[in-house]
Amino acid sequence: MSRLFFNLIFILALSLSLAAQDSKPANASPAPAPVPAVPPAPAAGNAQSSPARPVAPAPGNATAAPAQPEAPAQPPLPPSTPVITLNFCPGAAPSNANAAANAPKTTCKKVITKAEFDRVLDAAIPRSRRPAGGDIPSQVKEAVAKEYVNMYIMSHEAEKRGLQNKDPLIEEMLQLSRMQVLAMALNQELQENTKLSDAEIEKYYNDNPSAFAEVSLRRLYIPKPAPAPNPTSTPANPTAANANDATPKPADADALKAAADKLHDRAAAGEDLDKLEKEAFDAAGTKQTPPPTQMGNRRHGILPPDQDALVFALDAGGVSKLFDNPGGWYLYKVESKRTLPLSDVKEEIQRKLQPEKLKDARDAITGNIKSDLNEKYFGGAPTSGPAPASGKAPSAPANNATDEPASAPKTSKAKTANNIVHKAQPAKTPAAANAAH
């Protein structure tokens, strides 16, 4: 069978295999039959119109009928058992309908044994792509068989007509298909060879303890009050100067910082952060509901870099310094701290390191071979740059509450306080939208 057609059957079979994984396995135990409902009693005047029907036993009845014995499992077929039989003679198939009608009947048969078709299945559906247990559902086997038979007959007819010699493009496609299959086989081998051993995973775990540190965090946010704008007197508005005298002046920055420091000291002394945050919001004169102080568990790389190192250096119960931004101050408190056990992060280490190991294996094959592209043909060779760093820090989720609050105009401190904790929430007013940026 031609490589091109074989590649097509591989794609079809793989699609069917993946679809079958979402369905119930063929060898799953059938669901128990439902207990038949008790039929209604016949009317008094028509008691003899139909024979009596058995009544289903009550759930607690000890005399329930015994379960039916399971059907014995079928023994596996011998490898030489024919599984596909075609009344077909390779190389003798008529090339058109008229010839087929006039051709003498033949007793030629093409027999495909279980061993032969199992090899087709192994090539079309690799065991790594099969459902759990390695068994291929019967409907998938049948679909592959039907497609295989069609391609087997069609490819022989194409060869009989010499199509591979008539059109150079067909030969090129066959060569490309062969290259693709071989490249896929090599890639599969490299993936198997680059799986990390338990010793490699354990070594990485022991060499990088900080990567698996986890803290349970809370955060206290202290908003700054929003100063009222000062009106300016003009010749057209001579009374504005008097109005300016009655306008509240912006709060003293030193006094605000001193009040925030007191809240920090009370948090470090062990006072409840929810209580302190409510006091801070009341003092700022905002009607906004204070954001939750509970942040849950966090790993390295979630907080901004300047805060990450400081927070993870704290012991359990420790409180960070105050971090300042135009909208207010905030601090972190470490509720608890632990190192995740190896059993919890084993798969994470495998997912992180195997792609790096696989890339190294590929580079060892292709990295020393230089390719030059003719710019006159390709219109300019693609720009080559350094490979991306393998240890890229994970990005924070969109609704992460741990990012440093964004700078905000001093015209909407209350909205700013809410937005720094819930960045993913849409701003409710234009002022709040500006405060988020």
Side-chain angles (χ1 to χ4, degrees):
M1 184 178 63
S2 69
R3 294 288 179 177
L4 175 61
F5 288 156
F6 182 82
N7 197 32
L8 293 176
I9 191 175
F10 171 83
I11 296 173
L12 169 70
L14 179 58
S15 303
L16 293 170
S17 173
L18 296 177
Q21 295 185 36
D22 297 331
S23 62
K24 181 179 178 181
N27 58 353
S29 300
V35 177
V38 179
N46 195 22
Q48 303 299 326
S49 61
S50 61
R53 299 174 62 186
V55 177
N61 191 351
T63 61
Q68 295 294 330
E70 295 183 1
Q74 295 294 332
L77 295 176
S80 59
T81 304
V83 294
I84 300 175
T85 303
L86 306 175
N87 59 337
F88 175 75
C89 298
S95 58
N96 56 63
N98 292 332
N102 298 326
K105 293 185 178 180
T106 179
T107 58
C108 286
K109 287 187 177 181
K110 170 61 180 176
V111 175
I112 301 172
T113 65
K114 176 183 180 297
E116 292 171 334
F117 190 67
D118 281 347
R119 288 195 295 271
V120 172
L121 289 175
D122 288 340
I125 312 177
R127 295 187 179 275
S128 61
R129 299 282 187 174
R130 297 185 184 182
D135 293 333
I136 300 177
S138 299
Q139 65 270 27
V140 176
K141 288 183 181 179
E142 183 178 355
V144 173
K146 290 179 178 179
E147 191 66 22
Y148 176 79
V149 167
N150 289 335
M151 291 186 176
Y152 181 88
I153 297 172
M154 294 288 287
S155 63
H156 276 81
E157 177 66 14
E159 289 180 349
K160 180 186 175 184
R161 299 186 183 193
L163 297 183
Q164 70 277 15
N165 301 321
K166 294 179 180 179
D167 188 349
L169 182 60
I170 294 178
E171 183 62 30
E172 191 65 31
M173 293 171 67
L174 291 173
Q175 291 295 331
L176 289 174
S177 296
R178 184 176 185 274
M179 292 168 58
Q180 181 187 29
V181 171
L182 288 174
M184 290 172 58
L186 176 59
N187 188 65
Q188 181 66 29
E189 181 180 276
L190 293 178
Q191 286 181 337
E192 293 295 328
N193 293 341
T194 54
K195 286 183 178 179
L196 272 69
S197 65
D198 290 342
E200 290 175 304
I201 293 176
E202 185 174 0
K203 182 179 186 305
Y204 182 84
Y205 176 82
N206 292 331
D207 291 346
N208 299 273
S210 64
F212 309 106
E214 182 183 76
V215 294
S216 177
L217 280 184
R218 296 182 71 183
R219 185 171 76 170
L220 167 64
Y221 184 70
I222 306 169
K224 297 175 181 177
N230 293 325
T232 303
S233 63
T234 63
N237 187 16
T239 61
N242 295 331
N244 186 47
D245 295 337
T247 300
K249 300 293 190 300
D252 181 69
D254 293 337
L256 292 177
K257 181 61 168 61
D261 287 335
K262 289 182 180 179
L263 291 175
H264 172 274
D265 294 341
R266 291 169 63 185
E271 289 196 44
D272 182 66
L273 297 193
D274 288 327
K275 172 188 173 184
L276 296 178
E277 191 169 72
K278 186 176 185 308
E279 289 185 19
F281 271 67
D282 290 342
T286 175
K287 300 300 182 181
Q288 292 286 339
T289 302
T293 61
Q294 187 61 253
M295 294 175 59
N297 297 330
R298 292 290 185 271
R299 299 266 299 274
H300 273 293
I302 301 298
L303 299 175
D306 61 321
Q307 302 174 17
D308 185 275
L310 293 175
V311 168
F312 276 85
L314 297 171
D315 295 325
V319 171
S320 73
K321 70 175 186 178
L322 283 174
F323 296 98
D324 188 7
N325 86 331
W329 296 272
Y330 56 99
L331 61 84
Y332 297 102
K333 179 176 181 180
V334 175
E335 295 280 283
S336 62
K337 190 175 184 179
R338 68 164 182 157
T339 299
L340 295 172
L342 175 59
S343 58
D344 287 359
V345 296
K346 187 174 182 180
E347 292 185 2
E348 174 187 327
I349 297 174
Q350 178 83 1
R351 289 193 302 269
K352 172 181 173 55
L353 297 186
Q354 187 181 10
E356 300 174 7
K357 194 174 179 182
L358 178 59
K359 181 181 180 300
D360 292 340
R362 288 172 176 165
D363 289 345
I365 298 172
T366 64
N368 295 327
I369 300 176
K370 183 180 179 181
S371 60
D372 293 322
L373 302 181
N374 189 329
E375 295 185 12
K376 294 182 180 179
Y377 177 82
F378 291 101
T383 303
S384 60
S390 59
K392 192 175 182 180
S395 57
N399 61 348
N400 182 21
T402 63
D403 293 341
E404 183 177 358
S407 300
K410 294 186 177 182
T411 57
S412 183
K413 297 297 187 298
K415 288 290 184 183
T416 303
N418 191 44
N419 286 340
I420 65 163
V421 180
H422 300 286
K423 283 188 175 182
Q425 294 181 359
K428 297 181 180 179
T429 64
N434 293 331
H437 299 284

